[in-house]
Amino acid sequence: MSVEGRILVVDDHVEMGLMLREPLTDVGYAVDLATGGEEAIRMARAQAYDAVLCDLRMEGVDGLDVLEAVRALDADVPVLMMTAFGGVESAVEAMKRGAYHYFTKPFRLDEVLLFLERALKERRLQAENRVLRRAATERSGLGALVGRSAVMRHLYELIDRVAHAQAAVLLRGPSGTGKELVARALHFQGPRASGPFVAVNCTALPHDLLESELFGHLKGAFTGATHARRGLFVEADGGTLFLDEIGDMPVELQARLLRVLEDGEVRAVGADGSRTVDVRVIAATHQDLDARVREGRFRADLFYRLNVVTLQLPPLSERREDIPLLVEYFTARARARNPRARMQSLSPEAVAALATLPWPGNVRELENLIERLAVMVTSEVVGLEELRPHLPPEAPEVQPLVMAQRALWPLRRLEAEYIAWMVTRCGGNKTRAAEVLGIDVSTIHRRERERERG
């Protein structure tokens, strides 16, 4: 029979522990025995268990101490208490502290098996619900990998190839190119898709908190540690941990990360032992890690460990042909987030103008611009006139000739847009614009009316 879970049996009477181990093993559980509370706590810190069967009254460290220690490590682990008839009051106290159930000795083995199976089913159901909720939220971001350009098609091929590997992946590219979205795609297209995807930005937390965030800590491990924390490596067990901006990780933490990658074991701050974890690490950076290694700011051995598989994400300036698709996608998302938005789309001229901009913030900058237009613009179709006020100050001027070349305008459309552009260059002074253009001001008024009629 396949193993249904790993159980820790705790009793200072060895015979009782042995009596429980045999039937539990027969039905498919992997069973570890602890002959006292102190040993049980030490084993729980070193090995993750699916459930704990614990005697309530033991010399020294008793069952309530074990209950508290186990729940501090993982509050979801069901702890079932065993007690003599005279200890019912203490058993009730254990239930108040979070025990799943208690048995009064002498108990029937079929009762133990029934409640243990029920506890494990509830634990698995809770875990599956968390994964499904997380997946429902996170899978929606996969669609933002939008594009049909050659560089994006090549990236899709690499993602499909790399997703099924177990090696660490390093994502490199400028900020705003969608590195986290690629990390999610690698996770959800691979064999770990049913497991958790956990992301952390190494620059978003103070250096003194990043250690406990990654590796966890015990209650009282340091000032302010009022509650135990499992840490992101344990939360990502069976899935993927995405370390964004790893180039900014403190050197002293890099050594600990390297040990986890090499040994598959993580030790919480203040813990005596390590816990085994099964985590695929995907790291990302916009830094030049090769230069940081030469400067001594990034460990060479960690760099080599992470650099097994590298994916380079292109900046938006190298995939301008994808901008119309991205605009359409982000417009739909912005409208969904802003139900009162009047904006339906951007005109071909506005989209062509966006394709001429440098986009130093890459895809993220474009998404933010579309969101701003959805909130601020009152027209159903956003044209050039509505777009210009929302472009960044440092954006180069959108010239009609450049746009006409991209959008293939007819000559009359180019003439109308050039006249409007000249009026803007002259600060709205149509008389001055007419002088520069060598036409009568009435021609400008006529062209404006024609533009308004479309």
Side-chain angles (χ1 to χ4, degrees), residues 119-171:
L120 291 174
K121 281 185 177 179
E122 290 182 14
R123 173 175 165 82
R124 283 193 290 267
L125 182 61
Q126 291 170 357
E128 290 169 2
N129 287 339
R130 284 196 299 270
V131 169
L132 289 173
R133 285 195 299 269
R134 187 183 294 116
T137 301
E138 295 168 347
R139 283 177 187 271
S140 62
L142 292 175
L145 282 174
V146 174
R148 299 172 186 162
S149 59
V151 291
M152 289 303 291
R153 290 199 302 270
H154 179 62
L155 180 61
Y156 299 151
E157 292 174 1
L158 290 176
I159 289 172
D160 187 58
R161 192 181 313 160
V162 173
H164 296 276
Q166 295 299 318
V169 180
L170 180 61
L171 306 178

Side-chain angles (χ1 to χ4, degrees), residues 338-386:
N338 302 278
R340 300 181 63 183
R342 297 191 61 187
M343 182 183 77
Q344 301 282 340
S345 63
L346 275 69
S347 71
E349 297 75 30
V351 175
L354 294 179
T356 68
L357 301 180
W359 299 112
N362 296 293
V363 177
R364 185 184 298 126
E365 183 183 3
L366 175 60
E367 181 179 15
N368 291 342
L369 172 64
I370 300 301
E371 183 85 18
R372 185 160 62 250
L373 292 173
V375 172
M376 301 298 294
V377 173
T378 57
S379 303
E380 290 189 359
V381 179
V382 177
L384 275 178
E385 293 304 314
E386 294 87 358

Side-chain angles (χ1 to χ4, degrees), residues 44-63:
R45 288 173 177 171
Q47 168 69 55
Y49 289 96
D50 297 298
V52 177
L53 275 170
C54 184
D55 191 22
L56 186 57
R57 291 190 175 180
M58 296 181 290
E59 291 189 9
V61 179
D62 66 9

